[in-house]
Amino acid sequence: VPHNLNDVATPGLLLDLHQFDRNIERLGTHLRKLSPHLKLRPHMKTLKSVELGRRLTDALGTQAITVSTLAEAEAYAKAGYRDILYAVGLAPAKLGRVARLLGEGVDCQVVTDNVATAKAIGAFASKQGVKVAVLIEIDCDGHRAGVKPDDSDQLVAIAEVLGPVAELRGVMTHGGGSYGLADPEALKLAADQEADSVRRAATILREAGFAAPVTSVGSSPTALADCDRSGITELRAGVFPFFDLVMAGIGVCLMDEIALSVVTTVIGHQADKGWILCDAGWMALSRDRSTQGQRVDYAYGQVCDAAGVPFPDLVVHSTNQEHGIIALREGARGSLPDIPVGTQLRILPNHACATAAQHAGYNVMRGDTDPIEWVPRFGGW
Amino acid sequence: VPHNLNDVATPGLLLDLHQFDRNIERLGTHLRKLSPHLKLRPHMKTLKSVELGRRLTDALGTQAITVSTLAEAEAYAKAGYRDILYAVGLAPAKLGRVARLLGEGVDCQVVTDNVATAKAIGAFASKQGVKVAVLIEIDCDGHRAGVKPDDSDQLVAIAEVLGPVAELRGVMTHGGGSYGLADPEALKLAADQEADSVRRAATILREAGFAAPVTSVGSSPTALADCDRSGITELRAGVFPFFDLVMAGIGVCLMDEIALSVVTTVIGHQADKGWILCDAGWMALSRDRSTQGQRVDYAYGQVCDAAGVPFPDLVVHSTNQEHGIIALREGARGSLPDIPVGTQLRILPNHACATAAQHAGYNVMRGDTDPIEWVPRFGGW
């Protein structure tokens, strides 16, 4: 067994640090070539680790970050980050925590897509005398939140109601619809649509007299696509340092570029059913089944040997809380490999964000002989 | 808003302590009446909290517990529990941790269903001179792990290979197949089948000369069923203190008996789509979709007002990491309620074990005016 994997208590989250570095370098190279003017603002929600976050931003040469919770904002701020976009529509009750970050010198930018929240932000800013920077969320593809890019009434109403103390920093969108795609041409169109939506919305706001200097886009699939990003000022992406089976299904990485896996141990067999039982259930893998809608459905994950080499068509076909049931995919031509009790395996996850969130930290593997290092994660809200 | 719910940072896990107590009392009363001889060994994997665990075992009048990880065993042992069944097939590499618990005076019983693991346990016990108590897992309904109840060759082979130092404590099974049922008669049959399987297996072992004094059964649905439990010595169940939508779908609780929910805040609307957006995504709710196979599919959860009263047919129909998209169930006759930005809601979970696992602790609500109390959870393996 390579990498001192026997030191990993199973089930345990494993990070291949060399692959992590290569994945970051790939995005950095792609964007330096294609859009050298872009400010990179990686999404730190996947990592939730100060140490890995620092490694990511250092490699990309940026200090700007995106977060999905105020708990992340607070943890990264404590680690020294000062330029943080909280990229989930703000609940007005969270303004007190935003103000505390602003008071500590953190440029904590918030997001909304509606007049009610904008009004609450404006009133809070006036009352407390704090300059809250706001990006209006734009809906580029109908998949979630945001103002339609051409809805000038709504855009201007939000901008106006923010009032004189809050600052309209600009517009942002997330091309989450790209997660449903699977070919480079469609991904390029999604990236174009994402960029176009914020350009149009920013133009409306600027013509109405608001500076709105920031136009922010991003998702890992669109970030890796070819796209004209003139008029775009910054780019966000999150899962690309790890990648996962969903990203492989979309076509933005190969299976052997996935840097994250769950180490598990075989605990039994049900030979008559063709099952191998292991100690990674949904508690370790997450309940995420996002490859279900893709061309290849990996059920709860692709099974690899301890060195990370996939067994063809072998997946975690179902899970209980602490049991994984490994079996051949339906229609597989091979036969079930003989894997004795006690054998360590690695499971590639459907969705790195969901699987990583089930664990308190990473077992970080630097090389075949280096000791495995424990790097903690944080969670919560 | 009752219960000082405004003190709960959203998304946050909320526990109604009165309902928790009532749910425990219900099982206790049922079993005292039906099977007064049973040793109760509640499964603590759902709670993962020393404080709530103590409340549960005190109410049931037992000090015996079941756990699903050694991390739980260690945490509960530290809190004083001395009779612990680790009810997931043992990976031989974990024997060192089991031995440490035994050395601290904890009767940490382990489970296996195969000769390879039994051999490893026997060898470890002999070498270290520690008396490891083992239950053979029995497969009562084909849903997961275990030896078939009538497979005398396998049962005796496991018992024999354990050797003279390890102790064959008995047999255990989990009627997990009951989760797929939905009427009382079928649940009674499942409970009978669960009990019958360990009685048969124990008889085989005893006739072969092994004492095997313990016959352990359990699952929340079968525990609440009517069943003849003569010859059964102990019963395990886990989710019943909380209940959830899956249990309501099986018919073992009513929706208003669910003690656990996720408090969330409305952050926006997409009026043209009939969507209300909230700050509880799959990170707060989990990716569990276990009601998908039931008569009523609650998608990612049933939406209630802040007082816990369900909105008819209103569910979290899809999720992103930190966004919940609330909408009417397909085919619903009512219209979307008008719920403004900033409103707090409660989401009833599909599966309490999965949803609770997404959170670092409980916001415990004792009464309408008492302050909300924070009770931490632990996790990991």
Side-chain angles (χ1 to χ4, degrees), chain A residues 102-186:
Chain A
L102 296 172
E104 290 162 12
V106 178
D107 182 16
C108 178
Q109 302 135 63
V110 300
V111 161
T112 190
D113 67 357
N114 60 80
V115 170
T117 305
K119 204 168 179 175
I121 295 171
F124 181 90
S126 293
K127 194 172 166 197
Q128 309 284 329
V130 287
K131 203 164 181 64
V132 184
V134 179
L135 281 83
I136 301 178
E137 183 166 11
I138 304 302
D139 177 15
C140 66
D141 57 12
H143 82 286
R144 193 166 73 191
V147 181
K148 299 286 173 294
D150 300 311
D151 188 345
S152 51
D153 288 353
Q154 178 78 351
L155 288 168
V156 172
I158 292 172
E160 281 177 344
V161 83
L162 280 173
V165 183
E167 173 203 354
L168 178 66
R169 185 69 62 85
V171 289
M172 60 82 74
T173 195
H174 167 58
S178 64
Y179 283 63
L181 307 176
D183 75 274
E185 195 51 38

Side-chain angles (χ1 to χ4, degrees), chain A residues 199-253:
Chain A
R199 274 193 294 255
R200 276 149 57 203
T203 301
I204 288 170
L205 288 165
R206 290 165 192 164
E207 286 176 354
F210 300 96
V214 169
T215 46
S216 176
V217 298
S219 80
S220 285
T222 54
L224 287 157
D226 282 334
C227 169
D228 169 20
R229 293 210 176 79
S230 57
I232 304 302
T233 65
E234 68 175 37
L235 182 135
R236 313 176 321 275
V239 81
F240 68 92
F242 291 160
F243 284 134
D244 52 31
L245 292 168
V246 167
M247 290 293 130
I250 293 171
V252 297
C253 71

Side-chain angles (χ1 to χ4, degrees), chain A residues 10-11 45 69 94 114 117 142 144 146 148 267 270 273 279 287-288 320-323 341 358 381, chain B residues 10-11 45 69 94 114 117 142 144 146 148 267 270 273 279 287-288 320-323 341 358 381:
Chain A
T10 63
K45 75 182 166 74
T69 65
K94 293 174 183 164
N114 60 80
T117 305
R144 193 166 73 191
K148 299 286 173 294
I267 58 169
Q270 293 284 320
K273 301 195 185 80
D279 66 0
R287 272 288 198 191
D288 194 283
N320 289 159
Q321 186 155 350
E322 299 292 351
H323 295 78
V341 163
Q358 302 295 109
W381 291 272
Chain B
T10 64
K45 75 182 167 73
T69 65
K94 294 174 182 165
N114 60 80
T117 305
R144 194 166 73 192
K148 299 286 174 294
I267 58 169
Q270 294 284 319
K273 301 195 185 83
D279 66 359
R287 273 288 199 192
D288 194 283
N320 288 159
Q321 186 155 352
E322 299 292 351
H323 294 78
V341 163
Q358 302 295 108
W381 291 269

Side-chain angles (χ1 to χ4, degrees), chain B residues 50-302:
Chain B
V50 167
E51 183 172 337
L52 295 178
R54 180 64 64 197
R55 195 172 179 98
L56 167 61
T57 53
D58 283 355
L60 290 177
T62 186
Q63 292 304 314
I65 62 170
T66 310
V67 298
S68 68
T69 65
L70 286 177
E72 288 166 62
E74 288 157 355
Y76 289 119
K78 204 172 159 193
Y81 288 95
R82 288 292 170 269
D83 181 359
I84 303 179
L85 170 61
Y86 168 42
V88 173
L90 183 75
K94 294 174 182 165
L95 275 163
R97 287 169 72 188
V98 173
R100 273 196 292 281
L101 285 165
L102 296 172
E104 292 161 11
V106 178
D107 182 16
C108 178
Q109 303 134 62
V110 300
V111 162
T112 190
D113 68 356
N114 60 80
V115 170
T117 305
K119 205 169 180 173
I121 295 170
F124 181 90
S126 292
K127 196 173 164 196
Q128 309 285 329
V130 287
K131 201 161 182 66
V132 184
V134 179
L135 279 84
I136 300 178
E137 184 166 11
I138 305 302
D139 177 14
C140 64
D141 57 12
H143 82 286
R144 194 166 73 192
V147 181
K148 299 286 174 294
D150 301 309
D151 188 344
S152 50
D153 288 355
Q154 178 77 351
L155 288 168
V156 172
I158 292 171
E160 280 177 344
V161 82
L162 280 173
V165 182
E167 173 203 353
L168 178 66
R169 184 69 61 88
V171 290
M172 59 82 75
T173 194
H174 167 58
S178 65
Y179 283 64
L181 306 176
D183 75 273
E185 196 50 38
L187 287 169
K188 184 186 173 336
L189 286 175
D192 287 340
Q193 178 178 317
E194 189 185 54
D196 194 47
S197 73
V198 287
R199 274 192 294 255
R200 277 148 59 203
T203 301
I204 288 170
L205 288 165
R206 290 165 191 165
E207 285 176 355
F210 300 96
V214 170
T215 46
S216 176
V217 298
S219 79
S220 284
T222 55
L224 286 158
D226 282 333
C227 170
D228 170 20
R229 293 209 176 80
S230 57
I232 304 303
T233 66
E234 69 174 38
L235 183 134
R236 313 177 321 274
V239 81
F240 69 91
F242 290 159
F243 284 133
D244 52 31
L245 293 169
V246 167
M247 290 293 130
I250 293 170
V252 297
C253 71
L254 301 171
M255 196 188 277
D256 66 9
E257 291 174 318
I258 299 174
L260 199 75
S261 60
V262 172
V263 187
T264 183
T265 305
V266 173
I267 58 169
H269 300 82
Q270 294 284 319
D272 56 329
K273 301 195 185 83
W275 290 356
I276 301 167
L277 282 99
C278 71
D279 66 359
W282 55 253
M283 191 66 116
L285 298 171
S286 93
R287 273 288 199 192
D288 194 283
R289 285 284 291 103
S290 294
T291 57
Q292 198 163 25
Q294 293 190 319
R295 271 181 290 207
V296 180
D297 179 357
Y298 292 95
Y300 285 92
Q302 166 70 45

Side-chain angles (χ1 to χ4, degrees), chain A residues 8-328:
Chain A
V8 176
T10 63
L13 191 65
L14 187 73
L15 176 63
D16 176 339
L17 199 65
H18 289 315
Q19 190 59 51
F20 175 85
D21 290 343
R22 277 192 292 266
N23 293 343
I24 295 167
E25 178 54 27
R26 181 179 151 210
L27 185 78
T29 303
H30 171 78
L31 290 173
R32 273 192 300 275
K33 187 178 142 207
L34 201 72
S35 316
H37 70 287
L38 280 183
K39 177 173 179 173
L40 301 187
R41 186 185 288 285
H43 207 314
M44 310 285 261
K45 75 182 166 74
T46 313
L47 311 183
K48 299 214 186 199
S49 151
V50 167
E51 184 172 336
L52 295 178
R54 181 64 65 198
R55 195 172 179 100
L56 166 62
T57 52
D58 283 355
L60 290 177
T62 186
Q63 291 304 312
I65 62 170
T66 310
V67 298
S68 69
T69 65
L70 286 176
E72 289 166 60
E74 289 157 356
Y76 289 119
K78 203 173 160 191
Y81 289 95
R82 287 292 170 267
D83 181 358
I84 303 179
L85 170 62
Y86 168 42
V88 173
L90 183 74
K94 293 174 183 164
L95 274 163
R97 287 169 71 187
V98 173
R100 273 197 292 280
L101 285 166
L102 296 172
E104 290 162 12
V106 178
D107 182 16
C108 178
Q109 302 135 63
V110 300
V111 161
T112 190
D113 67 357
N114 60 80
V115 170
T117 305
K119 204 168 179 175
I121 295 171
F124 181 90
S126 293
K127 194 172 166 197
Q128 309 284 329
V130 287
K131 203 164 181 64
V132 184
V134 179
L135 281 83
I136 301 178
E137 183 166 11
I138 304 302
D139 177 15
C140 66
D141 57 12
H143 82 286
R144 193 166 73 191
V147 181
K148 299 286 173 294
D150 300 311
D151 188 345
S152 51
D153 288 353
Q154 178 78 351
L155 288 168
V156 172
I158 292 172
E160 281 177 344
V161 83
L162 280 173
V165 183
E167 173 203 354
L168 178 66
R169 185 69 62 85
V171 289
M172 60 82 74
T173 195
H174 167 58
S178 64
Y179 283 63
L181 307 176
D183 75 274
E185 195 51 38
L187 287 170
K188 184 185 174 333
L189 287 175
D192 287 340
Q193 178 178 317
E194 189 184 54
D196 194 46
S197 72
V198 288
R199 274 193 294 255
R200 276 149 57 203
T203 301
I204 288 170
L205 288 165
R206 290 165 192 164
E207 286 176 354
F210 300 96
V214 169
T215 46
S216 176
V217 298
S219 80
S220 285
T222 54
L224 287 157
D226 282 334
C227 169
D228 169 20
R229 293 210 176 79
S230 57
I232 304 302
T233 65
E234 68 175 37
L235 182 135
R236 313 176 321 275
V239 81
F240 68 92
F242 291 160
F243 284 134
D244 52 31
L245 292 168
V246 167
M247 290 293 130
I250 293 171
V252 297
C253 71
L254 301 171
M255 196 187 280
D256 66 10
E257 290 173 320
I258 299 173
L260 199 75
S261 59
V262 172
V263 187
T264 184
T265 305
V266 173
I267 58 169
H269 300 81
Q270 293 284 320
D272 56 329
K273 301 195 185 80
W275 290 356
I276 300 167
L277 282 100
C278 71
D279 66 0
W282 56 253
M283 192 65 118
L285 298 172
S286 91
R287 272 288 198 191
D288 194 283
R289 286 283 292 102
S290 294
T291 57
Q292 197 164 24
Q294 293 190 318
R295 272 181 289 208
V296 180
D297 178 357
Y298 292 96
Y300 285 92
Q302 166 70 44
V303 180
C304 306
D305 67 17
V309 180
F311 290 99
D313 288 321
L314 197 66
V315 298
V316 181
H317 98 84
S318 58
T319 54
N320 289 159
Q321 186 155 350
E322 299 292 351
H323 295 78
I325 298 180
I326 293 171
L328 287 171

